[in-house]
Amino acid sequence: MPLYENQHIKIYNSLSGEKEGFVPITAGHVGMYVCGPTVYSNVHLGNVRTFMSFDMIFRYFKHLGYKVRYVRNITDAGHLENDDDVGEDKITKKARLEAIEPMEIVQRYTVDFHNVLNTFNFLPPSIEPTATGHIIEQIELIETIIDNGFAYVVNGSVYFDVHKYNESNTYGILSKRKLEDLIHNTRTLDGQSDKKNPQDFALWKKAEPAHIMRWPSPWSDGFPGWHLECTVMSTKYLGERFDIHGGGMDLKFPHHECEIAQNQAAKGQDPVKYWMHANMLELNGSRMSKSTGNYINPAELLSGDNDIMSKGYSPMVVRFFMMQASYKSVLDLTDAGLKAAEKGFHRLMDAINLIDKLTTSSSSSFDVSSWQQKCYDAMNDDFNTPILIAHLFDAAKFINQIKGGNATVTSDDLELLKNTLNTFTFDILGLTTATKDSSSSDKLTAAVEILIKLRKEARLNKDFALSDKIRDELAEVGIQLNDSREGTTFTVGS
């Protein structure tokens, strides 16, 4: 019997604003779509956090035994500057600045995107469609929306008629915005004179003579609207009604709002049962922004080649740091927070590495079965990874108590503890063990052993300041000393 028969998930649905019991449309199957990157620059660390949240969710569904189809697209055309209907296509602009073909830009940054996600141990999605690979389907959907009376053609461009749509539907149902408020707050922008109303959005844009990326359509040589692309790709691969649509909080309006409107206009329904939104990543308490200098990219964070962090952090420490917050919470990336996560990560890995060295007993002083269900309960409660990690540390504490002779465990409970700890740490949270450089490990071991000996001598001489200094400075470079009654050992971070 699959685990999902006994483990019942609740998901916070952005549409209803409440946690709802997860019941898939088709029993035993999960269809999930997540808005992927626009590949015109290196992937943003905030995007990494969003995709990491849905990677964790994907992993948990798979662990429970669901057959999951996870679709995450690549936007390689149609996304204009400022997420609006005016300005230049982001990819075309980058290609013009670098004097290369737009598809060279797409290739370069798609490869970068995959490389970065591989570094953080992401699972690949089931399908990764591109916007340019679905132009025909997008044209067909536009024709349906026009035929249903919710779009109009002006000078070769096609716009969605928001006011007409709002007569029989609710534009703003997801973001909880009212059309009258949007009308009041709308500025008049250059290039929008073709629209009946400023709130209308493009389904198809006629390409200007200098616009490189263009395709023939019944209305003009042009390109599709950004919002339309996700509507087409999600429903093509997941059906007219699917389980989960995810993305960053910044996409709720207008992107996801427009997706709902397009589907309602074409098919008469919102195709999504549960809308999920991952929250933002801040840097030192402020919005991450290149223009203000409050910005760090994944490579800089890992290498330490930046003026913001005191050192580089391993991919698994960064992943562990991000998993310590709920996907719905704003997360503040700080040096202190990463250092704390690094210590916690190594403490958890040390405990896992100890399991096979433990001695069993005829009785257990820790209810492993109850602890295991607490881990499931945390994940079942809207994928609450911070609570899960707290339970994993409870297990780490128990393991250290067994090692110190202050707790006992039966062989059966120890096996259950080991399997559960490995499952939630590696399979669900997506962490990997710390690695060592084998070519230099012997020299490293010898050097650290010398420092451990000097530290022991300092403690015997009651020079605790020197003892602490050796321990703390080793920790600063990722070498953790572990004191026990048997002596001092060390572990090296990844």
Side-chain angles (χ1 to χ4, degrees):
M1 183 171 66
L3 287 171
Y4 63 74
E5 295 285 358
N6 295 319
Q7 304 298 335
H8 305 297
I9 299 172
K10 286 188 175 181
I11 292 176
Y12 181 83
N13 190 345
S14 297
L15 189 62
S16 66
E18 297 178 351
K19 286 183 185 178
E20 300 176 7
F22 176 72
V23 180
I25 294 167
T26 302
H29 292 71
V30 176
M32 182 168 74
Y33 183 88
V34 175
C35 294
T38 301
V39 283
Y40 71 101
S41 65
N42 296 109
V43 62
H44 190 285
L45 201 55
N47 295 139
V48 170
R49 188 210 176 186
T50 293
F51 299 132
M52 189 179 291
S53 295
F54 288 102
D55 178 68
M56 170 270 297
I57 290 166
F58 178 38
R59 287 169 175 273
Y60 188 58
F61 278 127
K62 286 169 65 70
H63 168 70
L64 292 183
Y66 284 106
K67 185 174 181 180
V68 188
R69 178 174 290 176
Y70 173 24
V71 182
R72 187 187 66 213
N73 75 296
I74 295 288
T75 297
D76 55 354
H79 192 167
L80 301 189
E81 297 172 277
N82 303 314
D83 300 345
D84 216 323
D85 292 333
V86 296
E88 197 170 4
D89 181 289
K90 293 182 176 184
I91 293 166
T92 300
K93 181 178 180 180
K94 191 66 174 283
R96 178 176 55 78
L97 291 173
E98 298 196 17
I100 59 176
E101 284 288 328
M103 282 301 155
E104 289 184 71
I105 295 294
V106 167
Q107 178 69 9
R108 176 191 301 171
Y109 293 113
T110 300
V111 169
D112 169 75
F113 174 67
H114 289 149
N115 287 341
V116 169
L117 267 55
N118 287 340
T119 299
F120 290 103
N121 196 36
F122 282 55
L123 296 177
S126 313
I127 303 173
E128 193 172 56
T130 64
T132 56
H134 297 78
I135 299 296
I136 292 173
E137 293 92 335
Q138 291 173 76
I139 290 172
E140 290 172 347
L141 187 67
I142 294 170
E143 290 176 326
T144 299
I145 295 173
I146 292 173
D147 291 343
N148 289 347
F150 293 107
Y152 56 92
V153 183
V154 180
N155 297 327
S157 293
V158 184
Y159 294 99
F160 189 94
D161 192 334
V162 170
H163 288 249
K164 175 69 174 177
Y165 171 81
N166 207 53
E167 291 175 4
S168 54
N169 298 276
T170 303
Y171 184 75
I173 191 171
L174 179 65
S175 60
K176 310 299 185 286
R177 304 189 186 201
K178 295 182 179 180
L179 183 57
E180 50 267 33
D181 295 333
L182 296 173
I183 294 169
H184 179 73
N185 293 320
T186 299
R187 295 181 295 116
T188 300
L189 299 174
D190 292 338
Q192 292 193 333
S193 58
D194 287 346
K195 297 182 181 182
K196 289 182 180 178
N197 299 286
Q199 297 77 34
D200 297 346
F201 57 89
L203 301 175
W204 186 266
K205 287 283 287 183
K206 180 181 179 180
E208 298 298 326
H211 198 96
I212 304 171
M213 303 180 79
R214 59 174 67 211
W215 293 265
S217 79
W219 315 287
S220 65
D221 281 0
F223 53 93
W226 172 42
H227 311 308
L228 187 77
E229 297 168 354
C230 285
T231 294
V232 165
M233 289 184 281
S234 61
T235 54
K236 175 171 181 174
Y237 295 108
L238 297 175
E240 292 188 6
R241 183 80 172 151
F242 59 93
D243 298 299
I244 296 170
H245 193 315
M249 193 73 73
D250 56 321
L251 297 180
K252 186 183 289 188
F253 186 88
H255 187 54
H256 291 162
E257 198 72 71
C258 292
E259 282 192 60
I260 291 176
Q262 289 165 162
N263 274 290
Q264 288 280 10
K267 306 292 176 61
Q269 65 174 358
D270 175 1
V272 180
K273 191 171 183 182
Y274 306 92
W275 283 92
M276 298 182 68
H277 291 93
N279 218 321
M280 311 302 289
L281 182 69
E282 293 184 342
L283 181 59
N284 291 325
S286 300
R287 182 177 178 271
M288 214 181 287
S289 170
K290 286 184 179 180
S291 60
T292 63
N294 192 50
Y295 180 82
I296 186 171
N297 67 34
E300 292 168 340
L301 181 62
L302 300 181
S303 69
D305 186 16
N306 62 83
D307 298 324
I308 297 174
M309 302 297 173
S310 63
K311 62 175 185 174
Y313 292 94
S314 77
M316 288 304 100
V317 166
V318 175
R319 182 165 184 129
F320 185 69
F321 170 79
M322 291 186 177
M323 290 290 104
Q324 286 181 306
S326 164
Y327 76 92
K328 297 197 307 294
S329 302
V330 174
L331 177 59
D332 189 15
L333 184 70
T334 66
D335 197 43
L338 285 164
K339 284 182 178 178
E342 187 172 55
K343 290 179 180 177
F345 172 75
H346 291 311
R347 184 153 57 96
L348 182 59
M349 292 301 126
D350 290 345
I352 291 173
N353 291 333
L354 276 175
I355 290 179
D356 290 330
K357 302 173 185 176
L358 297 179
T359 302
T360 59
S361 177
S362 59
S363 63
S364 294
S365 53
F366 183 76
D367 188 342
V368 179
S369 295
S370 176
W371 166 81
Q372 180 192 51
Q373 187 55 50
K374 287 179 181 178
C375 292
Y376 279 108
D377 290 344
M379 289 300 293
N380 293 340
D381 184 16
D382 196 29
F383 313 100
N384 196 328
T385 54
I387 297 299
L388 169 64
I389 289 172
H391 293 319
L392 298 183
F393 278 130
D394 287 341
K397 180 180 178 181
F398 176 55
I399 289 167
N400 285 309
Q401 287 174 340
I402 298 171
K403 181 177 181 293
N406 299 313
T408 58
V409 65
T410 66
S411 58
D412 287 346
D413 276 353
L414 184 62
E415 188 67 19
L416 179 62
L417 181 70
K418 176 182 176 179
N419 291 339
T420 304
L421 201 52
N422 285 337
T423 293
F424 281 94
T425 301
F426 303 125
D427 297 344
I428 295 170
L429 291 180
L431 300 172
T432 60
T433 55
T435 58
K436 297 179 182 178
D437 181 359
S438 58
S439 65
S440 60
S441 61
D442 291 342
K443 293 179 181 178
L444 175 64
T445 299
V448 176
E449 291 293 348
I450 291 170
L451 291 171
I452 289 174
K453 184 178 179 180
L454 291 173
R455 179 170 174 261
K456 182 178 180 181
E457 291 175 357
R459 295 171 79 181
L460 290 172
N461 294 328
K462 300 190 184 302
D463 189 352
F464 298 114
L466 178 58
S467 170
D468 291 346
K469 182 179 176 66
I470 292 171
R471 180 199 63 206
D472 294 343
E473 292 197 5
L474 284 173
E476 284 289 323
V477 296
I479 299 172
Q480 190 80 30
L481 298 185
N482 309 296
D483 295 319
S484 69
R485 285 187 292 185
E486 289 79 20
T488 300
T489 59
F490 74 93
T491 53
V492 182
S494 59

